Amino acid sequence: MIAGILLAFLAVTAQEAEEPLPPVGDEPVDEVTVYAEETITVLRRKLRVVDERFFSRYNDINTNDDFDMVCKRETRIGSQIPRQVCRSRLHRARLSEAAEDVLDEGVSMGEDSIGWTRQHYRAVREDIGKLMKQDAELRGIVRDRKSILDEIGRKKNAADVKD
């Protein structure tokens, strides 16, 4: 978009000028290329894509379908900003059952649910770690994710310095 605006400006300027644009070296300028740094918004979009690649690959190679990760955009209570929330298939099923229990019987999930969730995600993390040791593609996706996060951090730090 910026390149289009710049090219339009150059075209209007060239039409208004009495003389054509001077050549650079021996060749006239036929084309102008403008390179822009990626914004944090673009990098965050890339991060979501990398996360989708990671979970897609993980879901393909893990042997426990209960551990398959499902990511959805969800809005938390008290907020209007949707966030990407990734939960295992089993955890989503348990949350759904608990919600039905609350509606049917007024029973809440209780403290044992928090313990179950911690234990479950410990097992999922162990499974991810085991598969990362075995799968080069999964490790590559994690490296891509880290480089995007590093770039976001650099941009945030640069913005803090400017303020």
Side-chain angles (χ1 to χ4, degrees), residues 6-150:
L6 181 60
L7 288 175
F9 173 76
L10 289 174
V12 169
T13 305
Q15 288 174 354
E16 292 176 356
E18 295 177 13
E19 297 179 23
L21 292 173
V24 176
D26 295 335
E27 301 286 323
V29 176
D30 292 333
E31 183 177 305
V32 175
T33 304
V34 177
Y35 296 97
E37 290 186 25
E38 293 178 310
T39 64
I40 289 179
T41 303
V42 170
L43 289 168
R44 285 186 178 140
R45 242 182 260 129
K46 282 185 169 186
L47 193 60
R48 279 197 300 273
V49 169
V50 168
D51 286 347
E52 288 169 10
R53 280 180 42 220
F54 178 86
F55 287 125
S56 176
R57 179 66 182 157
Y58 172 71
N59 290 347
D60 287 345
I61 63 176
N62 84 52
T63 56
N64 187 343
D65 289 342
D66 285 343
F67 287 1
D68 282 356
M69 299 300 283
V70 179
C71 299
K72 295 183 178 180
R73 304 278 295 161
E74 297 177 3
T75 305
R76 293 182 178 170
I77 295 173
S79 174
Q80 295 182 354
I81 301 170
R83 305 185 105 180
Q84 186 83 340
V85 178
C86 299
R87 292 190 176 101
S88 72
R89 191 173 306 284
L90 180 60
H91 190 200
R92 286 190 180 277
R94 284 201 47 147
L95 288 174
S96 179
E97 290 170 9
E100 287 176 16
D101 288 346
V102 168
L103 292 174
D104 293 343
E105 304 164 20
V107 178
S108 69
M109 291 177 70
E111 289 296 318
D112 62 325
S113 174
I114 294 170
W116 178 89
T117 301
R118 286 184 181 141
Q119 183 180 4
H120 173 68
Y121 278 102
R122 190 174 303 119
V124 171
R125 278 193 306 276
E126 288 172 7
D127 191 56
I128 289 172
K130 177 186 76 173
L131 292 175
M132 281 183 58
K133 289 177 184 174
Q134 298 170 1
D135 191 78
E137 185 178 343
L138 211 53
R139 289 191 306 272
I141 294 168
V142 169
R143 279 191 298 275
D144 293 346
R145 187 177 200 283
K146 182 181 180 329
S147 69
I148 293 169
L149 286 172
D150 290 346

